[in-house]
Amino acid sequence: MKTVLTWIKPTADQIHFGNYFWAVKPLLDLQKDYDVFFMIADLHAFIWVQEKNYIHQASIKQAKLYISLWIDLEKVKIFRQHKVPAHAEFNWIISCLTPFGTLRRMHAFKDAVAKNKIEKINAWLFNYPTLMAADILLYNPDFVPVGQDQKQHIEYAQDIAEKFNHLYGETIKIPKEMINKDIAKVPWIDGRKMSKSYNNFIWLLDSEEEILKKTKRILTDSIPLGTAKNPDECNVYNILKLFITDNENKIIREKYLTWNFSFKEMKELLFNKIIEFLKPVQEKYKNITDEEVIKILEKNEKKVNEIANKNMKKIYKAIWI
């Protein structure tokens, strides 16, 4: 069976609906046909968050949420990055093969330079593409699901793998990117991509009161009743369509063409659909203990270490170390 590698950074102690539709839902679909390595990228998170114990706790809570969202623990190896030392080992080798100019052209560093923040960033914001390449290539995955904004990192990983194979013989599999362009375009409360930076998100563990407040904040326009409206231009609809069936979607689109209802009604429908989705998830989350999550992670980390160490032996053998 073909393999996939994906990840999430525990820079927050839970996940929002943007994370769910960009990362979790595709993972739930992928696990039907692939073996999945799912990494909690805590070493990457440490670039941004150095508060003691925060990343540890955030990692446990995020893992608990993923388990509550019905990932198949027989097919998805969920593990913490720092528990697999081979990531750091392989990162060193990749760093030695990577020209300075390549890292200087990566988006995150270029953005810091453009915003005159170069003196404020740490060394690993500059170097983290090498660690990401190590993360990806260490497990020889067939596919790596990423957003359009991360495509550059996959291209770099492909390039460095090809360079390694050219220098030392065919050792590393060249992965292919798997990009879901449709989900990346979905706007949220204020019409922009859901992000903690924009403060426009809905957490999966939000209370009903919090969700009601946030759905009421969704930006809409003013049109008179009976005036046809394009649903694809409505922020409420573009969120709602993610929670409804094809038949419900057909009915709602027809309503937009006649516009015989209000945005208030549409927001209420969206609120009810979100609560309907979240209720069983939040209930399952409450019934899973941290101790149970840690046992699951440790079991997977033992398996993943065996795979990673086996692949590192091949890499060391290729470079004669």
Side-chain angles (χ1 to χ4, degrees):
M1 183 176 287
K2 291 187 179 297
T3 60
V4 166
L5 176 118
T6 188
W7 61 87
I8 191 169
K9 287 187 294 187
T11 51
D13 62 0
Q14 58 170 301
I15 61 179
H16 54 59
F17 270 115
N19 302 134
Y20 175 78
F21 285 108
W22 302 323
V24 186
K25 189 175 184 302
L27 174 60
L28 297 178
D29 294 334
L30 287 169
Q31 69 182 10
K32 300 172 186 175
D33 303 306
Y34 299 91
D35 281 329
V36 181
F37 290 90
F38 178 57
M39 179 180 72
I40 298 176
D42 47 15
L43 294 180
H44 286 291
F46 194 63
I47 295 171
W48 311 102
V49 182
Q50 285 93 36
E51 181 182 344
K52 184 177 180 180
N53 202 42
Y54 181 88
I55 292 176
H56 168 73
Q57 291 297 330
S59 297
I60 301 303
K61 290 182 178 180
Q62 284 194 355
K64 187 188 296 189
L65 258 174
Y66 270 80
I67 294 168
S68 301
L69 288 161
W70 302 287
I71 62 169
D72 184 346
L73 293 175
E74 294 298 318
K75 300 193 69 176
V76 178
K77 300 177 183 68
I78 182 170
F79 67 98
R80 291 163 292 185
Q81 182 185 22
H82 86 276
K83 290 291 187 176
V84 186
H87 286 268
E89 286 185 65
F90 195 22
N91 168 59
W92 180 259
I93 292 171
I94 288 176
S95 297
C96 292
L97 296 175
T98 301
F100 177 86
T102 297
L103 297 180
R104 193 171 56 187
R105 291 189 292 271
M106 302 302 279
H107 292 319
F109 180 72
K110 286 177 66 176
D111 184 61
V113 173
K115 294 177 179 177
N116 294 317
K117 293 182 178 179
I118 192 169
E119 297 299 328
K120 297 180 181 179
I121 63 174
N122 58 36
W124 268 103
L125 181 66
F126 180 75
N127 286 299
Y128 87 85
T130 63
L131 179 57
M132 185 176 290
D135 299 332
I136 293 168
L137 301 176
L138 183 59
Y139 301 101
N140 289 318
D142 295 284
F143 300 101
V144 183
V146 291
Q148 189 67 40
D149 58 342
Q150 292 180 314
K151 185 178 179 182
Q152 184 188 45
H153 292 289
I154 304 303
E155 292 172 340
Y156 160 64
Q158 293 166 337
D159 289 344
I160 202 70
E162 289 175 354
K163 180 176 182 178
F164 187 99
N165 290 342
H166 175 74
L167 291 172
Y168 305 110
E170 293 294 324
T171 308
I172 303 171
K173 182 183 288 187
I174 311 298
K176 295 180 180 179
E177 68 271 15
M178 186 182 285
I179 298 176
N180 189 332
K181 297 180 180 179
D182 294 331
I183 292 299
K185 295 178 181 178
V186 174
W188 286 88
I189 292 171
D190 57 359
R192 296 181 291 182
K193 174 181 175 181
M194 182 176 281
S195 170
K196 296 195 297 294
S197 301
Y198 300 146
N199 193 31
N200 64 352
F201 54 85
I202 297 175
W203 293 120
L204 268 65
L205 297 179
D206 273 348
S207 67
E208 291 191 15
E209 292 76 16
E210 291 168 330
I211 294 169
L212 182 60
K213 289 179 183 178
K214 291 177 179 180
T215 52
K216 285 181 176 180
R217 283 172 42 207
I218 300 174
L219 298 177
T220 56
D221 53 20
S222 297
I223 62 171
L225 292 177
T227 303
K229 179 172 179 59
N230 182 353
D232 298 318
E233 295 176 353
C234 175
N235 291 335
V236 183
Y237 169 77
N238 282 321
I239 302 173
L240 177 62
K241 69 181 181 181
L242 298 170
F243 296 93
I244 56 179
T245 65
D246 289 342
N247 188 52
E248 289 174 317
N249 187 40
K250 182 179 179 181
I251 294 171
I252 289 170
R253 289 188 70 89
E254 289 174 354
K255 285 187 175 183
Y256 268 89
L257 298 178
T258 57
W259 197 244
N260 59 355
F261 62 101
S262 66
F263 281 118
K264 181 176 181 293
E265 293 175 66
M266 191 57 64
K267 288 181 179 181
E268 288 175 353
L269 176 60
L270 173 60
F271 168 75
N272 289 329
K273 288 293 182 180
I274 291 175
I275 297 304
E276 181 183 324
F277 174 87
L278 285 180
K279 192 172 182 179
V281 175
Q282 293 185 356
E283 188 64 31
K284 187 173 182 180
Y285 180 89
K286 291 177 183 177
N287 292 325
I288 301 173
T289 67
D290 288 359
E291 289 73 22
E292 288 174 314
V293 173
I294 291 171
K295 284 183 180 179
I296 290 170
L297 291 172
E298 289 177 343
K299 180 180 178 181
N300 285 333
E301 285 153 5
K302 182 178 180 180
K303 295 178 183 177
V304 171
N305 266 297
E306 290 174 358
I307 296 169
N309 291 337
K310 182 178 179 180
N311 289 337
M312 279 306 301
K313 286 182 180 179
K314 293 179 182 178
I315 290 164
Y316 282 133
K317 182 178 181 180
I319 61 177
W320 289 85
I321 288 182

